[in-house]
Every structure is written in structure tokens, then in C-alpha cells.
Amino acid sequence: MTGSVTDRNLFSPDNLRNPYPLYEELREHDPVHFVEPMQSWFITRHDDVMEGFRDPRLSAARGQLFEYQLQGVDPNVAREFLGTIQHQMFMKDGPEHVRLRRQTLTGFSNQKLDDMRPTVHRIMRELLDEVIPQGHMDLLKDIAFPMPALALAELINVPLADRARFKRWSESLADFSAPAVGANPVELATHANQTMVEMKQFLLPIIEERRRNPGTDSLSLMLQAEAEGRMTPEELVANICLIMFAGHTTTTDQLCNGVHDLLTHPDQLQKLRADMGLMKSAVEEMLRYTTAVPSITRVAAEDFEWHGKRIRKGQLIFLVMASANRDPSAFPDPDRFDITRDSTKQKNASFGFGAHHCMGAGLSRRELEIGITLVLERFPELRLDETRPPKLKCHSLTFRGFDSLPLRW
């Protein structure tokens, strides 16, 4: 990319649709970029983003983000939502974060995730069997949403018969966590609050039953931690809600992003079909090239200077992983989609870094590898549906995917 970007509004429709020229501009000329209306900083260089994940001056206890969204709104409309997330590990720092993460991590060990591979295979085969006779599908609705949700339900061992309700919950929490420009904050907060109420009503009977009849699933392991006093009941419920939401939403988006990138880069698709042994490196390139979570927020825990800019305590800081993943200092020729790129030389930033590295990264990678492998094997003539254009989801800086991705074969 070359040339100067005149519009530095990160939330303009054009920049949300294609943010990469602006990211390049900011990396080169204003890597610690201040947005006055939000009193927020945007960090765009790879090394700075990775360092930001480890910097104790950048706190994960970012209630200010929701306070900003609720300006002028009675906070009681989101009381249940706000009360729940304060117990979630992704809103904690230091020893409190480590304690909560440790109680949950045993359910996401490499051994347990490898044991999940046959389950993910089975779920994918069943979903694909349903659409094969049609000759077409919406990858989002038919595959990318239900697959990780069903896999997660089996990992935690909770019923997921009502997929429509689960989808509504996910969309409600995502919409409030990363609101679209011009969205109604009262409406979003009300829906997110009701969602949290419904999720707890769904989970509490399951938790009580699992207390009576524990197993080896992740929920049972968390209940053991609660029984031993390493988690409070509130923390238990809050972090199961977090896993149910975060554990599948980003994989849904990333699966669609990855398939779309393959279909719009036919040379790379042909290369992958010719050698499916490239799938691991292909998935890493998909994560780098179009990450499902373009940025994540932190809040300044104190006043400090960064690249000559004075950051004030309480200001929000956006660590822009999507920009870090296109930084030429880390990834040569970064705007080229190359499934043979050597990811061992430099890790992409898509799952974060340091203590807050995404706990579900291992599960997501396995789901992407299995899911994309089976899609390509089942549909040798797969293509974008020329009669129905895809609908890109790019209304915020926090989630990027598709609202619809029609395909044919």
C-alpha cells in the first residue's frame, strides 16, 4: 500500500470496511494515536501491541469501556451484565486473573482438546451432510455458527438443543461489547442485561445437577475448584458465561474469514488443495490476514508516556491486533495472503499475548483446521454464490466477520 490516508476516522464506513490503509498510515506516522471524542489511544505497531499485552500499566479491568457506552443512561439497565463481567477473568489483573484462569485452564489442556478432535469431526460431518443435497449454503448460518457452539457444549457438557436462543445470546452480548456506530445504547444494554439473566437461568440447574453428579468435563473441574474454595459461586457462573460466549463467537467469524480469503485467493486455495499438509500454516495465515478480533481494549492504570505521548490514568487503550498482523517489520510483504508463510519466525497477535493469551486458542485452531479441511474435502467445486453477495460484519473495531457468506458447489 502506498499514499497518505486523509481520513483518520477509525469508525468511518470506509475505514471499518477496509481499515488496512489507515493502519499503515498510523503505524508509519502516528503509532500511538489519540481519538479525542473517546479519550482513547490506538496502538498499531506489532512490537508495541505485543508489549502492551504484558505492560502492567495497561489494566484489563476496563469497566470504563461500558461506562463510556452508558453515558447519560441509567446504569441499572445493565446491572446484571455489569455485575457478572466484574467476576470474569478477562476483566482481572495480576494474581486475581491468574487464580481464575488456573481454575479453568485444566478443562482446556492439550490432552483434553486433542480428545475433542473426533467430536469436532463428527459435528462437522453431520452439519455438512445436512447441506450437501442443497447445492448451496450460507457458511455462517449452516456451519460456522453451529459447529463451535456444539463443540463447546460437549466440552462443557451442557445441552444445546435450542441453537436459535444461543445465537441470540451471542449476538446480544457482542452488540453491547462492541456497539455499531449510531446504535441505541439503552436498547443494547437492555438486551445484554436480559441475555445475562437468561444465561444464568439456563446454567444454574445444570450446575446444581453437576454438583450432584460430577464428571470429567470442564464444568465439573471448575465446580471442584469452587468446592475447594478457589472460586466463588459468582465467579464460577460468570466465567462459564464467558466461555460460552467467547469460546465460539470468534471461531465462527474466523472460519468464515478464512474460507472467504481462500476463495478470493484462488492460487492459495489451489496450493492448499494440492497439499492439505499445509493446513496448519494456512490457518495461521488466515488468523493473521483477517483476524476475527481486530482489537482489544485496556485501560491506563497510571499516567505514563509512550512514544512521546502522555497517556492519562483511566484512558482507554486499543491494542490493534489487526494492524500488528500487517506490520511489515514483523511480516514481510504483509498484505499478501500466503498459506506457506513461516509462522515460527513471528507469531500473529490474533489471540493476544502474555498472561491474557486467549485460553481458547488451542480449541479454536483445532476447530479451524478440522472444519476447513472437511469443507474443502466435501466440496471440490466450492465457490462464492454469484447470485447472493456476502454481507460483511464490520461495524466495530472489536469483531470482524460475516453476517452472511453464501456458497455454492
Side-chain angles (χ1 to χ4, degrees):
M1 297 178 187
T2 57
S4 178
V5 175
T6 57
D7 180 9
R8 286 194 173 186
N9 177 7
L10 287 112
F11 298 93
S12 73
D14 286 344
N15 283 334
L16 285 172
R17 193 178 304 109
N18 179 19
Y20 302 108
L22 176 56
Y23 292 162
E24 181 182 34
E25 169 84 4
L26 294 179
R27 283 195 307 268
E28 290 184 3
H29 303 292
D30 194 10
V32 181
H33 175 65
F34 187 61
V35 176
E36 181 73 34
M38 295 181 66
Q39 290 292 297
S40 300
W41 297 90
F42 288 78
I43 313 302
T44 50
R45 288 180 180 168
H46 180 273
D47 289 351
D48 291 338
V49 168
M50 301 302 264
E51 184 60 33
F53 281 113
R54 297 182 297 185
D55 194 326
R57 299 172 300 181
L58 276 60
S59 171
R62 48 198 180 278
Q64 286 94 325
L65 178 62
F66 298 104
E67 291 174 9
Y68 173 81
Q69 291 169 207
L70 290 171
Q71 287 181 26
V73 177
D74 182 356
N76 285 323
V77 302
R79 178 188 297 177
E80 192 70 31
F81 175 88
L82 296 173
T84 301
I85 65 167
Q86 70 176 344
H87 296 296
Q88 293 177 341
M89 68 183 82
F90 89 123
M91 295 286 285
K92 301 287 188 179
D93 294 316
E96 282 295 281
H97 168 257
V98 171
R99 175 179 62 84
L100 291 174
R101 185 182 176 96
R102 185 176 292 146
Q103 311 321 318
T104 310
L105 199 56
T106 52
F108 289 82
S109 66
N110 283 332
Q111 181 60 57
K112 185 167 282 292
L113 296 181
D114 282 339
D115 291 343
M116 279 290 294
R117 284 184 178 273
T119 299
V120 177
H121 269 280
R122 173 180 54 77
I123 290 169
M124 275 297 298
R125 288 195 303 270
E126 291 172 353
L127 292 171
L128 292 171
D129 285 344
E130 292 179 17
V131 300
I132 283 176
Q134 301 172 182
H136 61 86
M137 67 173 166
D138 182 337
L139 183 67
L140 174 79
K141 178 175 70 70
D142 295 324
I143 306 296
F145 175 79
M147 184 271 283
L150 291 167
L152 187 65
E154 295 215 20
L155 181 68
I156 304 176
N157 192 14
V158 299
L160 193 57
D162 187 357
R163 296 182 199 170
R165 179 172 57 167
F166 200 83
K167 187 173 189 296
R168 177 168 53 82
W169 289 345
S170 299
E171 290 173 345
S172 173
L173 294 178
D175 287 346
F176 185 51
S177 300
V181 176
N184 185 320
V186 176
E187 184 177 310
L188 295 184
T190 301
H191 289 166
N193 204 65
Q194 181 60 30
T195 289
M196 204 61 85
V197 171
E198 291 178 11
M199 288 180 77
K200 289 183 175 183
Q201 290 173 343
F202 168 79
L203 284 170
L204 288 174
I206 297 170
I207 290 171
E208 289 307 313
E209 190 279 331
R210 201 65 48 78
R211 281 198 177 101
R212 296 190 295 269
N213 300 293
T216 59
D217 54 89
S218 296
L219 175 53
S220 295
L221 294 173
M222 291 173 72
L223 279 166
Q224 182 180 342
E226 181 211 27
E228 295 172 358
R230 290 176 280 131
M231 292 183 88
T232 67
E234 293 81 9
E235 290 169 343
L236 173 74
V237 175
N239 284 285
I240 297 171
C241 289
L242 173 63
I243 291 168
M244 288 175 62
F245 167 58
H248 90 275
T249 301
T250 52
T251 302
T252 292
D253 288 338
Q254 194 64 63
L255 182 61
C256 287
N257 293 346
V259 170
H260 184 265
D261 284 336
L262 283 173
L263 293 176
T264 52
H265 295 83
D267 61 321
Q268 298 301 301
L269 175 59
Q270 183 180 2
K271 189 178 295 185
L272 182 57
R273 286 193 182 279
D275 182 4
M276 294 296 278
L278 292 171
M279 185 56 72
K280 282 187 181 296
S281 66
V283 165
E284 291 305 308
E285 181 68 348
M286 294 170 199
L287 288 164
R288 182 197 73 83
Y289 191 75
T290 311
T291 180
V293 182
S295 68
I296 197 162
T297 52
R298 292 291 185 261
V299 63
E302 60 186 67
D303 292 353
F304 64 97
E305 282 199 7
W306 202 350
H307 288 291
K309 302 292 182 72
R310 187 67 174 168
I311 296 176
R312 302 293 183 183
K313 180 178 180 180
Q315 289 180 328
L316 283 173
I317 298 167
F318 285 73
L319 300 175
V320 189
M321 291 102 78
S323 175
N325 285 343
R326 297 286 188 105
D327 189 335
S329 71
F331 304 98
D333 197 4
D335 296 317
R336 178 169 56 89
F337 182 64
D338 177 8
I339 65 167
T340 64
R341 190 182 296 272
D342 185 359
S343 62
T344 62
K345 291 182 178 179
Q346 189 65 264
K347 293 294 185 183
N348 66 69
S350 301
F351 288 116
F353 190 62
H356 278 272
H357 180 263
C358 176
M359 191 176 65
L363 177 59
S364 181
R365 282 188 167 99
R366 288 165 174 82
E367 290 172 334
L368 292 168
E369 290 169 14
I370 294 168
I372 293 172
T373 296
L374 290 179
V375 165
L376 296 185
E377 288 178 352
R378 289 290 189 95
F379 305 116
E381 302 298 327
L382 190 69
R383 65 187 189 276
L384 294 174
D385 189 336
E386 55 276 0
T387 68
R388 296 182 297 161
K391 295 180 181 177
L392 188 64
K393 177 177 70 177
C394 55
H395 62 256
S396 79
L397 293 174
T398 306
F399 298 107
R400 186 175 185 87
F402 286 85
D403 286 324
S404 176
L405 185 55
L407 306 177
R408 301 190 76 85
W409 50 90

